[in-house]
Amino acid sequence: MTSATNSSRRLLLAGIAGNVLEWFDFAVYGFFAVIIGKLFFPAADPVAQVIAAFGVFAVGFLMRPIGGVLLGHIGDKYGRHKAMLISVAAMAIPTFLVGSLPTYATLGLAAPIILLVLRMIQGLSVGGEYTTSVVYMIENTPETRRGFVGSFAVSGAVLGILMGSGVGALLAALLSPEQLQAWGWRVPFWSGLFLGLAGLWLRRQNESHTPPVPGAEHPLKTAWNEHRQVMLQVSGLSMVNAVVFYLVFVYVVSWLELVDGIPASTALEINSESMVLLLVVMLFSGWLSDKVGGRVILLVSAMLIAVFAWPLFWLLHSDQTWIIMAGQFGFAVVIGGYLGAQPAYMVKVIPANVRCTAAGLSYNITLGLAGGLSPMAATWLVERTGDDLSPAFLIMAAALISWFAVRSLPKNH
């Protein structure tokens, strides 16, 4: 095995390690939102419980732009590695504490307040983790392979969500509903501490193998004054990552339980299987983007999402498992194409000296506002309109915004 191969492997492992943890936790919270709502936000209306639980989910997301700026500043001025080490530590500890937190029945009002604070800390961490790790991986990869390596960056996030879905499905299958609500939901959060320690070790091992990238003296000021337009465009092209991804692969688990009335174990199993396909499609899309260009892949994929959003959601609204799976698999194909090509393209359009800060802020503003609020908005929209398929219109709107954002960027990108 050559030294170059070892170096490439270390690069991939160090880059995706934190993303696995970050998104494992956020996925677990989303998948167990119904149980968390019952335990921390008691109310007579089950829909109100889910909205309250996703409200805390949204607050964690709203902290992401702040985290993107703070950790992006560290990444641009003091090095990508320092930011990545801080972010993974700031996620592992609060994740473990969420799993150990007493519920409303024990602490009363203090329980949801503490939960809120922990989610805010996690939101800060996530804000800098994904974009900094993407920048780090792509900057240290030859240009002819950046699309493919970028797809591994986002695959780390999806792998974390897949692990959360798989663990949730396993627990739901092995435990009774009473056991799952009493203590089973805590197990994934406890395991986050071990994932965090593994991530820290991997990143420390790789620290000396990548050269520093010169950054601006005042990254945020430089990014805002000189690159405001491209930041706005990156925010727009991130709409698919925010709204579409979270509605289809996080919110839909609770939607299937509430709207279709299927068991949690079945909903989690379908989600896990569709995300395996999503991983394959993303890696293929990243590889293909190196051949035909990321811009082409993004434009075609965004339009396919907009066209097929309602028909695929219609398939999800069925009493037959195989039809629901067909809908989820269809979403995995059209969304995977976009997600696989997006990381390298995003890094390419942002100047190197402000990449961590500019990407962290613009990407996370969209993820924080649109992504964090979309599950709660979709839950409210279904209840308000009585149309179980109404979340499809949110997906269509987000896909079209991303299409126009990519279209507005110069063709040479």
Side-chain angles (χ1 to χ4, degrees):
M1 187 176 294
T2 65
S3 176
T5 302
N6 282 329
S7 179
S8 297
R9 184 169 296 178
R10 284 194 300 265
L11 173 73
L12 288 174
L13 290 176
I16 69 174
N19 286 325
V20 172
L21 169 63
E22 312 276 4
W23 299 102
F24 174 83
D25 169 79
F26 264 68
V28 166
Y29 187 92
F31 295 143
F32 288 108
V34 174
I35 291 177
I36 291 172
K38 293 177 181 177
L39 295 176
F40 288 88
F41 306 96
D45 185 354
V47 174
Q49 289 178 340
V50 176
I51 291 177
F54 275 128
V56 174
F57 183 86
V59 168
F61 267 69
L62 292 174
M63 297 300 294
R64 290 180 56 142
I66 301 174
V69 171
L70 291 176
L71 291 170
H73 176 86
I74 294 172
D76 282 328
K77 193 166 184 179
Y78 302 105
R80 311 325 193 196
H81 259 291
K82 286 184 174 61
M84 291 165 65
L85 289 172
I86 292 170
S87 70
V88 75
M91 191 69 177
I93 296 172
T95 298
F96 176 79
L97 293 177
V98 168
S100 305
L101 183 63
T103 64
Y104 185 91
T106 302
L107 293 184
L109 187 59
I113 292 176
I114 296 173
L115 178 64
L116 179 64
V117 172
L118 293 174
R119 298 303 294 178
M120 290 173 69
I121 296 172
Q122 291 172 321
L124 287 173
S125 172
V126 174
E129 168 60 37
Y130 176 72
T131 49
T132 301
S133 64
V134 166
V135 169
Y136 163 78
M137 293 174 69
I138 292 173
E139 283 180 343
N140 291 282
T141 299
E143 288 191 17
T144 55
R145 299 182 64 246
R146 288 184 171 181
F148 186 53
V149 169
S151 68
F152 272 94
V154 70
S155 293
V158 174
L159 180 60
I161 295 177
L162 178 60
M163 289 172 59
S165 177
V167 170
L170 180 63
L171 289 171
L174 295 177
L175 303 178
S176 67
E178 293 74 21
Q179 291 173 319
L180 200 62
Q181 181 166 321
W183 58 269
W185 68 273
R186 298 182 181 274
V187 174
F189 291 98
W190 290 334
S191 64
L193 182 63
F194 300 100
L195 289 174
L197 293 174
L200 281 171
W201 181 82
L202 285 168
R203 289 182 170 180
R204 291 300 297 269
Q205 292 294 309
N206 204 57
E207 188 166 5
S208 62
H209 297 284
T210 52
V213 176
E217 181 65 23
H218 303 288
L220 179 59
K221 182 179 179 180
T222 302
W224 182 254
N225 290 338
E226 300 179 14
H227 307 292
R228 196 178 312 169
Q229 180 176 341
V230 74
M231 289 173 65
L232 181 61
Q233 291 165 318
V234 169
S235 291
L237 68 86
S238 300
M239 271 291 181
V240 167
N241 305 65
V243 176
V244 180
F245 180 83
Y246 286 100
L247 286 183
V248 173
F249 296 106
V250 177
Y251 161 77
V252 80
V253 175
S254 297
W255 183 87
L256 290 172
E257 293 179 54
L258 292 173
V259 175
D260 285 356
I262 69 174
S265 58
T266 303
L268 288 166
E269 182 180 348
I270 292 172
N271 203 61
S272 298
E273 292 174 356
S274 67
M275 293 192 77
V276 172
L277 176 60
L278 180 69
L279 280 170
V280 175
V281 175
M282 287 193 306
L283 293 173
F284 174 76
S285 173
W287 172 83
L288 186 61
S289 72
D290 285 326
K291 311 298 181 184
V292 303
R295 189 173 190 270
V296 173
I297 301 294
L298 294 177
L299 289 173
V300 172
S301 298
M303 189 54 63
L304 289 175
I305 293 169
V307 170
F308 287 101
W310 193 92
L312 291 174
F313 230 91
W314 178 81
L315 291 177
L316 293 179
H317 195 13
S318 172
D319 57 358
Q320 298 187 52
T321 302
W322 73 271
I323 296 180
I324 297 173
M325 290 184 67
Q328 274 289 79
F329 281 22
F331 270 124
V333 171
V334 295
I335 297 172
Y338 192 95
L339 297 181
Q342 193 266 356
Y345 189 79
M346 177 179 68
V347 172
K348 182 179 180 180
V349 302
I350 301 174
N353 65 332
V354 294
R355 271 190 182 138
C356 289
T357 301
L361 179 58
S362 54
Y363 179 87
N364 284 297
I365 283 178
T366 300
L367 270 286
L369 295 175
L373 295 175
S374 57
M376 184 169 60
T379 303
W380 177 85
L381 194 61
V382 171
E383 176 70 11
R384 184 71 175 179
T385 64
D387 182 2
D388 293 335
L389 303 181
S390 56
F393 297 107
L394 296 177
I395 293 173
M396 294 166 66
L400 289 174
I401 290 172
S402 286
W403 188 90
F404 281 109
V406 175
R407 188 75 173 78
S408 70
L409 285 159
K411 290 185 177 181
N412 61 341
H413 287 317

